[in-house]
Each structure stands twice: as structure tokens, then as C-alpha cells.
């Protein structure tokens, strides 16, 4: 099923990429495949063709337009507007609150520490939990003296990090980003917060993923489950382990090792880097779901019966120590090493 | 599809579902996005004013499109009066009176795709839109985003597969 699906997808993507010639080859392959289902093909074709009309399709700000229309519908009677006394008091109170908040921010700013990870690294938090921060991530939290007195173990993250939470059932461990937060008591989870997009996945134990502004219901996630939220579209998408996810979960097949590594380099910047000049062209068929965490992908590669794949891992940096791939009797034996600092993926021997 | 008098919540829902569709439909006719939005808003105001007239036999969507067509005819008529372009008015009028249903023009499918695209992961969405909306080649996208062409292809495959799943049973 996934094989014929891949062929159909290839038909559209590759034909656009390589022109009519590639398309004809795939066309023949498809039509001769006994698993080919014309109805399914037509569905893909309809979406592919109609999506070309996106060039002409424009999107208006519907909320703004709706407000404008509702304002016209509810046109108030024109009259001299007398500002009631309570509104004046409300305005005065608002000014006091704003000024007070500014003072408060100034007062508390000295109580926080902000840690910025120049490279991917692990830090021990004031409660002995461990944060494995991705390159460029920042984590803000109360200084140790203030931290121990707080009711919640609270952190503010930008970028991505994996948290090994020290168990303390009396104090919630809460990591926040601009739009969402992840709460835990004692578990391991991954959290990524980039501008308006945030996502999390429980690696071990149970976590709660919530919107800070009530845009979606709390999501309770157990090991393997994840969820993401896009604040721009206000869309929350859960990824449950035991069901086929609507978004993602595409199995990639018929991909060269080199292509796979290139994609992994792009998908996991700072953690998995490939030198573009590396000569890796064994045409092995690899099937791996790339819509998962890097450790899971590495495990899948290890389990592949078409490759001998071994690696070392330290602090989220993967060093491939052996990659043996076989294709139609031809065997290529490669040894690679990846360096953390100069992020080179060197071809050491063949 | 509900029939009968429209309440405010239903009106909002109808607005959110069809406003962009009508704007794009009008824009294709008159080639002026701002004006299209203005006419589309007038259409919804009229719909609200006439909400009691929606009979049990009238689909709200059809009624809405009928108002949009009439609003467009009104626009052409006022254009004629203002500029005296009788000829263009006549042909525009003729054209608008034979307007096909909006869905027939494929805008309905495109709108559904546009909404489904919003549900893609940010990176996949960006690559898909650079290809389909901006018309960039895969090489250009790879260059622009500083990623490999294979990653572009992978994300395009992912996008098409996810869109197919998201739109299953809808188109």
C-alpha cells in the first residue's frame, strides 16, 4: 500500500522536478503496477492540480472583516457620548496597573537567570533536573535562592530542549513558551518553541501540553505521544503513538543513503551534519519514518537489515562510526565521523 | 446546511467559511482585491438584513452567492453610470448574469486546500507554498532555504500526502 502510494507521490513530485521525461517513466511504472488504484490516483491529481490555483487565491483577514461587518450590522444610534464616571475610573486604574506592572518587571528582572546554549549542551537546573538544550536555545528561570521558594518549578524556553525532570510530586515542573506550556511532575519530554510554533513529545511518563491563552483544551500525553500548536493559525495537532497520524507519518522509501543523510541534516540542524561532498551513493532502499525524533530515526536505521549502522551519541550529537550498505551485490564500507565544533561530516575511509 | 432564519452564530460561521471564497470569486471578475473585499462585505451585510427572507427551500450558501452576484451587477451598473462605459457595462452585465456557481470554478477546492495547507507543519507548508503559490522551482527553493533539493522533494511529498489525508471525503 505504502509502496504504490510512494510511486504515486513520486509521479507528481518527480515529474515537476525532472520534467516530462521522468513523468513518462513513472507513468509506465504506475500503469503496469497491479496495485495501482485509479481512484486513489485521481484524488492526488485533483489536489495537485487545484493547488496550482493557490497562485491566484488570496486570503483576507476574515476576523478583521467580520468585525467590520458586525460593526455595520450593529450600527449604534448616533448621539453625544457621555463618558460615565466608572469608565473614567477604569482608565485611571488601567494606567496604575500598567505602571505597576512595569515597575514589577523591573523589580523581578534581577531575580532571573537566562542561560543561552551556544552549542547543544546539557545543564543542571536548580532542582537537579537536567535540560538538554539544542543549539541557540535559551532557558530563563529564577535564580536558585528564589527558585526553591517558588510554588512551581517554572522555566521559559525559546528554541528546543529535552527535559529530564527530577520527581517532586509537590511541585509542578512547568516549561513555558510564548503561546504554550508543558507541565510535568517527574518525566522526560522534548519541547520546541520557535516563534509562533511550539511542539512537544513525551519520551517517558506523562505530561500536559496546554495553551497559555486558552486556544485549545489541555492535552495529556504519555510516552511517545506528542502535540504541536501553531499560534498563527491557532491550530493544535496531537500526535498519538498508536494511531496513524493525519499529519505526517510518511514512510520514505527508495532513497539513497546520501539523500537520507542530507534530509536528516536539514531536519535536525545542529545535531546531524553531512558534508555535501561526501561520496555516498549506494542505491539501497531505505524505509524510515522521518516524522519522529532523531533517536527514533537512528534506531530505525540500526534495525534496517540493508545497512550495518553504528554510532556514538554524546549530548545530542551523533557520531556515525560505521555505515555499511549493500545494493545488488555491491558493498560499500564507509566509516564516518562527525565533529561537534566544526560540524564536519568527514569521509575517512572507504 | 441549515435553512430558516439566520442567527448571529450561524452568520459568523457562514462568514468565516465563505468570505474568502466570495472575495476571490469577485476578484477574478473585477481584478481589484480591495474592491472585492468591499463588495463581499456588502454582500454579508445584505444577507444579514434579509435573513428573515431565507426560505426553507433556499440553501444559505446559494442565497449568499445570489446576493454576491447581484452586488457585482450593482457594481457594474454604478460603474456605467459613473464612467459612461455602456459597452463594457453591457458585456460585464452579460457575463455576470451567466456566472457559474463559485464551486464550479474550482475555488471551493482551492479554498479547502488553502485551509488544509494551514494545518501542515510550518516547514512543509513554507516549502509547499513557495512551490505552488510563488511558483519557485525545487532548485530555487533549495537555494532560498539553504537546504538540499531532496529535502524539498521530501517535504513536497509529505505535503501532498498530508493534504490528501486532510481532504479525504471533502473534495
Amino acid at each position: 500500500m505504502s509502496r504504490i502510494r510512494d510511486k504515486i507521490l513520486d509521479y507528481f513530485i518527480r515529474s515537476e522536478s525532472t520534467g516530462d521525461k521522468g513523468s513518462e517513466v513513472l507513468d509506465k511504472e504506475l500503469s503496469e503496477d497491479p496495485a495501482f488504484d485509479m481512484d486513489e490516483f485521481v484524488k492526488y491529481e485533483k489536489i495537485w492540480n487545484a493547488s496550482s490555483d493557490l497562485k491566484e487565491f488570496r486570503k483576507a483577514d476574515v476576523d478583521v472583516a467580520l468585525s467590520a461587518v458586525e460593526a455595520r450590522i450593529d450600527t449604534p444610534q448616533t448621539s453625544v457620548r457621555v463618558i460615565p464616571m466608572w469608565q473614567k475610573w477604569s482608565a485611571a486604574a488601567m494606567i496604575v496597573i500598567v505602571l505597576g506592572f512595569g515597575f514589577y518587571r523591573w523589580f523581578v528582572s534581577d531575580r532571573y537567570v537566562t542561560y543561552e546554549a551556544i552549542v547543544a549542551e546539557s545543564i543542571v537546573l536548580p532542582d537537579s533536573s537536567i535540560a538538554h538544550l539544542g543549539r541557540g536555545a535559551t532557558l530563563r528561570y529564577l535564580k536558585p535562592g528564589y527558585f526553591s521558594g517558588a510554588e512551581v518549578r517554572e522555566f521559559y524556553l525559546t528554541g528546543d530542549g529535552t527535559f529530564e525532570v527530577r520527581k517532586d510530586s509537590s511541585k509542578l515542573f512547568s516549561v513555558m513558551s510564548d503561546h504554550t506550556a508543558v507541565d510535568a511532575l517527574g518525566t522526560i519530554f522534548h519541547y520546541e518553541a520557535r516563534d509562533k510554533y511550539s511542539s512537544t513529545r513525551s519520551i517517558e511518563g506523562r505530561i500536559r501540553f496546554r495553551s497559555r491563552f486558552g486556544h485549545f483544551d489541555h492535552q495529556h500525553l504519555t510516552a511517545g505521544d506528542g502535540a504541536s500548536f501553531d499560534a498563527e493559525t491557532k491550530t493544535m495537532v496531537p500526535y498519538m503513538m498508536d494511531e496513524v497520524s493525519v499529519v505526517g507519518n510518511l514512510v520514505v522509501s527508495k532513497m539513497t543513503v546520501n539523500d537520507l543523510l542530507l534530509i536528516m541534516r536539514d531536519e535536525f540542524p545542529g545535531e546531524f551534519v553531512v558534508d555535501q561532498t561526501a561520496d555516498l551513493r549506494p542505491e539501497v532502499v531505505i524505509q524510515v519514518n522521518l516524522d519522529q525524533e532523531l533517536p527514533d530515526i537512528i534506531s530505525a536505521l540500526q534495525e534496517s537489515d540493508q545497512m550495518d549502522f553504528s554510532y556514538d551519541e554524546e549530548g545530542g550529537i551523533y557520531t556515525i562510526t560505521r555505515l555499511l550498505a549493500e545494493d545488488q551485490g555491491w558493498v560499500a564500507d564507509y566509516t564516518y565521523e562527525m565533529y561537534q565544533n566544526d560540524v564536519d561530516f568527514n569521509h575517512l575511509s572507504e | 446546511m441549515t435553512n430558516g432564519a439566520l442567527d448571529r452564530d450561524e452568520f459568523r460561521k457562514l462568514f468565516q467559511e465563505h468570505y474568502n471564497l466570495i472575495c476571490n470569486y469577485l476578484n477574478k471578475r473585477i481584478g481589484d482585491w480591495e474592491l472585492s473585499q468591499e463588495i463581499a462585505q456588502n454582500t454579508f451585510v445584505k444577507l444579514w438584513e434579509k435573513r428573515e427572507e431565507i426560505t426553507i427551500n433556499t440553501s444559505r450558501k446559494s442565497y449568499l452567492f445570489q446576493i454576491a452576484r447581484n452586488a457585482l451587477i450593482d457594481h457594474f451598473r454604478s460603474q456605467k453610470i459613473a464612467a459612461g462605459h455602456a459597452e463594457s457595462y453591457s458585456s460585464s452585465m452579460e457575463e455576470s448574469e451567466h456566472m457559474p456557481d463559485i464551486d464550479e470554478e474550482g475555488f471551493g477546492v482551492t479554498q479547502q486546500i488553502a485551509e488544509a495547507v494551514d494545518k501542515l507543519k510550518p516547514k512543509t507548508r513554507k516549502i509547499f507554498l513557495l512551490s505552488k503559490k510563488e511558483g519557485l522551482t525545487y532548485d530555487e527553493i533549495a537555494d532560498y532555504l539553504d537546504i538540499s533539493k531532496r529535502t524539498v522533494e521530501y517535504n513536497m511529498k509529505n505535503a501532498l500526502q498530508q493534504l490528501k489525508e486532510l481532504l479525504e471525503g471533502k473534495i
Side-chain angles (χ1 to χ4, degrees):
Chain A
M1 182 60 192
S2 69
R3 183 184 54 79
I4 190 69
R5 185 185 66 182
D6 271 357
K7 270 191 179 181
I8 293 175
L9 290 169
D10 270 337
Y11 171 82
F12 292 107
I13 276 68
R14 286 297 179 92
S15 61
E16 186 149 311
S17 180
T18 59
D20 287 338
K21 197 180 170 187
S23 163
E24 280 168 17
V25 173
L26 279 163
D27 206 1
K28 193 167 181 295
E29 263 189 59
L30 270 178
S31 59
E32 288 174 357
D33 195 312
F36 179 66
D37 180 342
M38 181 53 97
D39 290 341
E40 279 294 291
F41 178 83
V42 168
K43 286 179 190 169
Y44 285 102
E45 187 178 46
K46 194 171 180 183
I47 294 167
W48 188 252
N49 292 340
S51 61
S52 298
D53 292 337
L54 287 171
K55 284 192 189 82
E56 291 177 17
F57 193 84
R58 297 184 64 173
K59 281 173 85 175
D61 191 328
V62 179
D63 290 338
V64 170
L66 180 58
S67 300
V69 167
E70 288 198 302
R72 285 173 63 186
I73 289 170
D74 302 328
T75 307
Q77 299 299 315
T78 51
S79 59
V80 179
R81 189 161 180 250
V82 179
I83 300 172
M85 187 56 78
W86 69 268
Q87 280 193 9
K88 290 178 181 170
W89 279 110
S90 299
M94 188 59 75
I95 291 167
V96 170
I97 289 168
V98 168
L99 289 174
F101 183 68
F103 176 76
Y104 171 77
R105 287 294 299 269
W106 169 79
F107 177 72
V108 301
S109 63
D110 194 40
R111 300 164 64 197
Y112 285 88
V113 59
T114 301
Y115 192 89
E116 184 173 357
I118 308 298
V119 295
E121 56 190 306
S122 304
I123 59 171
V124 179
L125 303 174
D127 66 335
S128 302
S129 295
I130 297 171
H132 304 281
L133 299 175
R135 187 170 60 180
T138 62
L139 192 66
R140 184 168 176 264
Y141 50 92
L142 283 167
K143 286 177 179 171
Y146 299 104
F147 189 91
S148 55
E151 289 181 2
V152 176
R153 295 177 281 173
E154 208 166 77
F155 302 87
Y156 190 90
L157 174 75
T158 59
D160 72 291
T162 300
F163 296 86
E164 289 182 39
V165 181
R166 183 174 161 269
K167 199 157 190 165
D168 182 351
S169 54
S170 66
K171 269 191 185 180
L172 196 65
F173 185 97
S174 183
V175 185
M176 291 185 286
S177 66
D178 285 350
H179 301 278
T180 59
V182 177
D183 302 324
L185 288 172
T187 180
I188 304 175
F189 66 91
H190 181 78
Y191 191 25
E192 181 183 347
R194 298 186 195 282
D195 297 327
K196 293 182 175 178
Y197 176 80
S198 54
S199 69
T200 188
R201 189 179 291 274
S202 168
I203 296 168
E204 188 182 298
R206 185 181 168 90
I207 59 171
R208 180 175 64 185
F209 184 52
R210 61 181 165 90
S211 166
R212 293 182 62 196
F213 307 106
H215 289 305
F216 60 87
D217 294 336
H218 297 174
Q219 297 291 307
H220 292 277
L221 308 167
T222 52
D225 294 346
S228 68
F229 177 67
D230 185 343
E232 198 167 319
T233 58
K234 297 190 174 44
T235 308
M236 190 280 297
V237 182
Y239 305 101
M240 298 305 171
M241 197 179 183
D242 294 327
E243 59 189 51
V244 176
S245 170
V246 172
V247 176
N249 208 38
L250 182 69
V251 175
V252 173
S253 62
K254 273 202 160 182
M255 186 176 284
T256 65
V257 174
N258 188 47
D259 287 338
L260 175 67
L261 294 182
L262 283 172
I263 290 173
M264 287 173 73
R265 182 204 62 173
D266 292 333
E267 296 293 315
F268 303 98
E271 291 181 340
F272 201 104
V273 183
V274 183
D275 183 352
Q276 294 261 21
T277 60
D279 180 21
L280 256 175
R281 281 281 157 190
E283 295 284 333
V284 292
V285 175
I286 298 168
Q287 290 202 348
V288 58
N289 177 4
L290 289 181
D291 187 25
Q292 53 185 341
E293 301 299 330
L294 185 58
D296 298 328
I297 295 172
I298 297 279
S299 300
L301 290 176
Q302 265 195 313
E303 285 166 13
S304 165
D305 52 9
Q306 281 140 342
M307 283 199 302
D308 180 359
F309 185 94
S310 48
Y311 69 97
D312 288 334
E313 189 272 335
E314 194 177 344
I317 301 297
Y318 290 82
T319 304
I320 297 176
T321 52
R322 181 176 171 80
L323 192 156
L324 179 73
E326 185 174 355
D327 174 52
Q328 296 172 343
W330 179 73
V331 177
D333 192 352
Y334 299 93
T335 307
Y336 289 89
E337 191 168 343
M338 187 163 52
Y339 296 96
Q340 178 173 338
N341 294 328
D342 55 3
V343 287
D344 259 347
F345 189 77
N346 290 334
H347 180 181
L348 297 179
S349 66
E350 187 169 326
Chain B
M1 200 174 299
T2 321
N3 290 312
L6 196 66
D7 67 26
R8 185 56 79 89
D9 285 342
E10 290 166 337
F11 174 78
R12 288 190 185 119
K13 189 165 182 282
L14 206 62
F15 191 98
Q16 276 156 348
E17 285 173 358
H18 299 301
Y19 179 69
N20 265 316
L21 194 62
I22 288 178
C23 284
N24 277 279
Y25 177 63
L26 294 167
N27 189 45
K28 192 169 184 185
R29 298 278 157 189
I30 56 182
D32 183 333
W33 181 243
E34 296 304 319
L35 184 60
S36 300
Q37 289 194 72
E38 193 183 316
I39 297 175
Q41 288 181 23
N42 291 341
T43 299
F44 279 94
V45 171
K46 273 189 186 156
L47 176 76
W48 180 252
E49 287 167 354
K50 292 174 182 288
R51 63 190 182 281
E52 301 294 340
E53 294 174 21
I54 302 173
T55 65
I56 198 78
N57 294 322
T58 315
S59 121
R60 283 173 184 167
K61 190 175 167 188
S62 308
Y63 193 62
L64 182 63
F65 291 163
Q66 186 57 49
I67 297 175
R69 288 187 193 101
N70 292 339
L72 190 57
I73 292 169
D74 287 346
H75 163 72
F76 286 135
R77 186 175 289 129
S78 65
Q79 250 196 345
K80 181 238 175 185
I81 292 163
H85 293 156
E87 198 177 327
S88 83
Y89 165 70
S90 165
S91 62
S92 300
M93 190 75 173
E94 194 176 317
E95 188 187 9
S96 11
E97 279 170 350
H98 294 93
M99 284 178 196
D101 188 88
I102 290 176
D103 279 349
E104 283 175 25
E105 291 201 4
F107 278 117
V109 177
T110 311
Q111 168 160 300
Q112 283 180 317
I113 290 173
E115 284 168 4
V117 166
D118 284 342
K119 292 176 184 161
L120 300 177
K121 282 185 175 176
K123 186 176 182 180
T124 306
R125 182 174 66 230
K126 190 171 190 176
I127 289 170
F128 187 77
L129 289 178
L130 282 172
S131 169
K132 289 294 188 180
K133 194 168 171 67
E134 305 301 328
L136 266 59
T137 65
Y138 293 171
D139 283 322
E140 287 167 339
I141 296 170
D143 194 37
Y144 176 64
L145 296 178
D146 194 23
I147 55 178
S148 66
K149 186 180 175 184
R150 200 70 173 91
T151 299
V152 176
E153 290 174 353
Y154 165 72
N155 277 279
M156 288 298 290
K157 266 174 90 167
N158 233 343
L160 181 56
Q161 176 58 27
Q162 288 168 25
L163 288 175
K164 195 249 179 188
E165 286 169 10
L166 288 164
L167 296 169
E168 194 72 61
K170 292 184 185 170
I171 60 171

